[in-house]
Amino acid sequence: MRAGPICIGVPIQLKCLKPNNIPKNPQTLGEHLLARRLTQRLYQKDVAILLGTDNFTIMNWEKGYTRPHLKF
């Protein structure tokens, strides 16, 4: 049986850059969706699962190609 290294008492600090492509002043529903998704650090597929659709639909909403139906 092989075990990995043990780091007891060693502080670990993880850092991540914030996305720099977040719309500063969102105007459309797609821009609002994109800004919220990026600040929550979610993937399009995560939002799609939450809304009961697929990630291509989320992409089209964010790019402004289509708009969501009222049920979404």
Side-chain angles (χ1 to χ4, degrees):
M1 182 161 76
R2 181 179 169 165
I6 299 175
C7 299
I8 298 176
V10 178
I12 298 174
Q13 184 177 11
L14 302 176
K15 293 185 179 183
C16 177
L17 296 175
K18 290 185 178 180
N20 59 358
N21 54 352
I22 298 175
K24 302 291 185 219
N25 194 11
Q27 299 295 316
T28 65
L29 182 63
E31 290 175 350
H32 280 281
L33 180 63
L34 174 64
R36 183 69 176 167
R37 179 178 66 80
L38 292 177
T39 56
Q40 295 294 315
R41 297 182 182 181
L42 295 172
Y43 292 109
Q44 288 175 338
K45 64 181 178 179
D46 299 328
V47 175
I49 291 169
L50 290 171
L51 296 178
T53 186
D54 61 21
N55 56 332
F56 294 107
T57 302
I58 301 298
M59 178 189 66
N60 287 329
W61 292 349
E62 290 179 353
K63 291 186 180 274
Y65 297 150
T66 59
R67 294 187 314 192
H69 294 288
L70 189 58
K71 69 177 183 178
F72 293 108

